[in-house]
Amino acid sequence: MSGKVPQRSPQLGHLSSRVRNVLRGPRPEAVPVLLGRACALVGLLDVAAGVFPRFRHSRMHAIAEVLPGATGPFAAALSLSAGVLLLLLAHGLKRGKRRAWRAAVVLLPAGAVAQFTYRHSVIGVLISLALLAPLLRHRDQFAALPDPRSRWRALANFVLMGAGSLALGLVIVSAHPKTLVGDPSLADRITHVLYGLFGFEGPVDYQGTTSWTVAFSLGALGLLTAITTIYLAFRPEHPAAALTEDDEARLRALLAKHGGRDSLGHFALRRDKAVVFSPSGKAAVTYRVVSGVMLASGDPIGDVEAWPGAIERFMDEARAHSWTPAVMGCSETGAEVWTRETGLDALELGDEAVVDVPDFSLTGRAMRNVRQMVKRIERAGYETRVRRVRDLGETELERIRQAAEDWRGTDTERGFSMALGRVGDPSDGDCLIATAHKADDEPGPYGDLKAILHFVPWGTDGVSLDLMRRDRAADPGMNELLIVAALQAAPKFDIARVSLNFAMFRSALARGEKIGAGPVLRAWRGLLVFLSRWFQIESLYKFNAKFQPRWEPRFVVYRASADLPRLGLAAMQAEGFVNMALPLPRFLRRRAAAPRPCAHRVAERDIQAA
């Protein structure tokens, strides 16, 4: 490993970056956020003025009177249209998106012209211009490039906008009780809304001009849904960046020199990540963009002395697109460099379990449970094989790939920061595969194969656990059997260290169960145990602890505390625990020619079975 961490104190570097931020004054993104909130407020008032008749005669009358579309059928439709569009643009304005700025600059004068044309409201024009003026003045702060996207967002927009229009339409239909004819049922009101969204008259009737007001408002909602969906369907795609062959070759060259520094380094070769290199090309940061969060994982790849250049490129890319920068699972050294160079904060996320092969032994009281389980399984007729990927034949590799796919246990692929996303690729010949076998009277589709463990290289003398798969019909304890087999076979492959799994909040769980733990720590541990029903936090920690590892802390690096909920959701999406996309029905899914991305490092059901 070459290169040393610069000797400047990380605490002082972190402090100096904060001082520089203070001296610079407010962050540039403060203005877009403020204008985005103003846009959302005007949009809400516009919607309220168009939907609720009483709102126009309340104490807010003075404000509502000058907003687009305060009275009349046409005006109500204009008010709803302007309000909904401003609400849709608000988020993009907060993030400094150029296209959102352009749309707002066009929409506000259009609303002002509509006010003057229909209501001759000079004050209304001035209010529109009051929001337009700072948008034009600070136009240089709205330069963020588009996010990665695909035309699937058109379907999502149609579903969400359609549901929102239906809900808002029910409010519009029910907001005029004094002019309502009769007492229509909920079914009649829903029918009226559905007809109105398509521009037809429904079964609900009103006195006076209210019927026209409701009809124009519902028609405007339907038109907005159609226009936004058509726009998203036919706009140019900006697909998520993927690792090119050249990028992968450069990363492999860096890993060949510096891959022993970080156990997560090889996972940078996931082909659904993008990469930025330092100006010297001696370091790189891989990432994926999820819901506006630019999510890196592990430490930068390459020479530590070149890390600042790669980190600077990463931050430049985040600023160019107005993405929220974050790092998941970096080491203590990585957290020091990230916080020093960027002024970001770091928080301990959990611990990685690392077993030193020379120190591993099944003897002793502490290993009794593992020892007994392994011997029991071996007596049941199971045998293990540990080999490099390059030493397996193509027929056996294909059988292992298919078994790993079918034994996944969930429809959603899991894994990002600690999963490679493939098994048996010819370029991954140094990966290690441990398999369990048992001859059956009636062999299954995979012959005598019963369980699989896949490890990726960690430098020249280590491996890092990627995935665990087993036949659900096999005996419990397959994971323990194969981990022990891999550790015992490690010296044959000159492997001195094995990284197992990442245990989230491990220190809190360990300290919270000790005698003398305070009420706050016990309460925090209790919450983690409760969450373990869904996320396997406690069971994963206990599974790792069976092998008596040493614990290496891992950190999350983030910009501000307010970003943590958003960062947590993005990380759960990236890891596959939360799926925000609209999945296709099974019969419409096409199987890719290449192997599908592999799952998270440990399948929760495997842990439960163990």
Side-chain angles (χ1 to χ4, degrees):
M1 295 182 292
S2 63
K4 296 182 179 179
V5 180
Q7 296 301 311
R8 182 173 47 154
S9 167
Q11 289 81 7
L12 291 178
H14 181 68
L15 179 61
S16 64
S17 65
R18 291 304 178 86
V19 172
R20 289 196 300 269
N21 290 339
V22 172
L23 293 177
R24 290 172 185 159
R27 292 189 301 178
E29 57 264 28
V31 172
V33 169
L34 181 61
L35 294 178
R37 290 174 179 172
C39 183
L41 177 61
V42 173
L44 287 173
L45 293 174
D46 252 357
V47 171
V51 173
F52 302 104
R54 295 181 181 179
F55 179 80
R56 294 194 295 270
H57 303 289
S58 66
R59 294 181 180 179
M60 296 295 293
H61 173 74
I63 297 178
E65 189 69 18
V66 298
L67 291 173
T71 58
F74 290 103
L78 287 173
S79 179
L80 278 175
S81 301
V84 171
L85 288 174
L86 288 174
L87 286 173
L88 292 175
L89 292 174
H91 181 66
L93 288 174
K94 289 179 183 178
R95 297 180 57 199
K97 292 296 184 180
R98 189 68 176 177
R99 291 190 175 183
W101 176 86
R102 290 173 179 169
V105 166
V106 171
L107 180 63
L108 287 172
V113 170
Q115 289 186 65
F116 187 79
T117 301
Y118 289 107
R119 302 190 62 257
H120 308 289
S121 174
V122 177
I123 298 178
V125 172
L126 293 177
I127 286 185
S128 296
L129 296 179
L131 182 56
L132 179 64
L135 283 174
L136 294 174
R137 179 182 177 185
H138 298 284
R139 60 183 178 275
D140 58 324
Q141 296 189 27
F142 295 89
L145 301 175
D147 289 347
R149 62 181 183 238
S150 69
R151 291 191 175 92
W152 282 108
R153 293 192 63 182
L155 177 60
N157 178 84
F158 177 77
V159 173
L160 296 176
M161 282 287 292
S165 298
L166 179 61
L168 189 56
L170 284 173
V171 175
I172 294 172
V173 170
S174 305
H176 307 271
K178 294 184 178 180
T179 59
L180 193 62
V181 177
D183 185 20
S185 64
L186 178 61
D188 289 336
R189 297 176 192 229
I190 293 176
T191 302
H192 192 85
V193 172
L194 293 175
Y195 274 63
L197 292 177
F198 289 94
F200 300 103
E201 188 68 24
V204 180
D205 197 12
Y206 300 88
Q207 299 174 358
T209 60
T210 303
S211 181
W212 287 101
T213 302
V214 172
F216 275 99
S217 299
L218 294 177
L221 288 176
L223 188 61
L224 280 178
T225 301
I227 290 176
T228 54
T229 301
I230 292 172
Y231 166 74
L232 292 173
F234 289 97
R235 68 175 177 173
E237 287 189 278
H238 286 259
L243 210 62
T244 65
E245 292 184 4
D246 180 62
D247 291 337
E248 185 173 339
R250 295 176 66 185
L251 285 174
R252 288 185 182 276
L254 293 177
L255 287 171
K257 294 181 179 180
H258 309 281
R261 184 178 295 279
D262 185 15
S263 64
L264 307 188
H266 200 86
F267 297 122
L269 298 176
R270 281 185 67 104
R271 289 166 185 162
D272 56 358
K273 289 183 178 181
V275 61
V276 289
F277 290 91
S278 65
S280 65
K282 294 181 178 180
V285 175
T286 58
Y287 67 91
R288 185 195 297 174
V289 178
V290 183
S291 298
V293 177
M294 190 177 183
L295 197 62
S297 59
D299 292 344
I301 307 300
D303 190 345
V304 174
E305 293 182 353
W307 283 8
I311 290 173
E312 184 179 0
R313 288 281 179 88
F314 177 89
M315 297 300 292
D316 288 343
E317 190 77 6
R319 281 189 290 270
H321 293 268
S322 190
W323 292 330
T324 300
V327 186
M328 292 290 297
C330 62
S331 68
E332 188 170 5
T333 299
E336 289 177 355
V337 178
W338 273 100
T339 55
R340 187 192 65 215
E341 296 297 327
T342 64
L344 301 178
D345 286 325
L347 179 69
E348 185 173 341
L349 188 61
D351 295 271
E352 176 187 13
V354 178
V355 178
D356 294 313
V357 173
D359 299 332
F360 177 76
S361 174
L362 284 176
T363 62
R365 183 178 180 84
M367 298 297 295
R368 182 178 62 181
N369 291 337
V370 176
R371 182 172 63 249
Q372 291 176 348
M373 178 172 287
V374 169
K375 289 183 177 180
R376 177 181 59 80
I377 297 174
E378 289 176 341
R379 287 195 299 267
Y382 289 88
E383 65 173 21
T384 59
R385 302 169 193 167
V386 182
R387 293 159 290 175
R388 296 282 188 185
V389 166
R390 60 172 173 264
D391 297 329
L392 276 72
E394 183 57 37
T395 302
E396 186 174 7
L397 265 179
E398 181 58 33
R399 184 165 63 246
I400 290 174
R401 291 190 196 106
Q402 191 60 48
E405 169 78 14
D406 294 342
W407 293 345
R408 186 172 65 238
T410 59
D411 288 337
T412 304
E413 292 286 0
R414 291 183 177 175
F416 165 68
S417 58
M418 300 177 184
L420 182 60
R422 58 185 181 268
V423 176
D425 191 279
S427 61
D428 299 321
D430 287 338
C431 290
L432 205 67
I433 288 185
T435 54
H437 304 263
K438 182 184 179 182
D440 294 328
D441 295 335
E442 297 180 3
Y446 313 111
D448 62 353
L449 184 64
K450 299 300 179 183
I452 305 163
L453 258 64
H454 187 257
F455 298 85
V456 300
W458 175 12
T460 58
D461 64 345
V463 291
S464 185
L465 182 59
D466 176 24
L467 65 83
M468 306 170 77
R469 294 283 193 274
R470 72 176 184 88
D471 186 347
R472 302 302 172 186
D475 294 341
M478 291 292 103
N479 296 329
E480 287 90 338
L481 174 68
L482 288 181
I483 288 177
V484 169
L487 290 169
Q488 291 177 337
K492 181 175 65 175
F493 299 98
D494 296 324
I495 293 173
R497 51 187 180 166
V498 176
S499 170
L500 296 180
N501 304 292
F502 173 73
M504 242 179 137
F505 307 115
R506 195 274 317 174
S507 58
L509 289 169
R511 293 197 303 266
E513 63 184 357
K514 291 183 178 179
I515 296 177
V520 175
L521 189 56
R522 288 185 178 275
W524 174 226
R525 182 183 180 278
L527 176 61
L528 293 176
V529 172
F530 174 75
L531 294 175
S532 295
R533 299 179 181 180
W534 296 278
F535 300 109
Q536 305 301 319
I537 299 173
E538 184 185 29
S539 59
L540 189 56
Y541 156 57
K542 290 185 175 180
F543 178 83
N544 291 332
K546 291 180 181 181
F547 303 96
Q548 303 299 305
R550 57 181 168 89
W551 300 99
E552 295 290 339
R554 290 281 173 174
F555 297 82
V556 56
V557 178
Y558 59 98
R559 185 173 59 183
S561 299
D563 293 333
L564 286 176
R566 184 181 176 194
L567 169 58
L569 179 61
M572 293 175 69
Q573 286 181 253
E575 296 289 353
F577 290 103
V578 175
N579 185 15
M580 304 295 288
L582 295 175
L584 288 173
R586 278 185 174 271
F587 66 90
L588 291 178
R589 298 178 190 172
R590 293 182 299 179
R591 297 183 64 88
R596 290 171 58 181
C598 301
H600 194 259
R601 300 183 74 179
V602 176
E604 289 85 354
R605 295 185 185 178
D606 290 348
I607 299 302
Q608 288 176 332

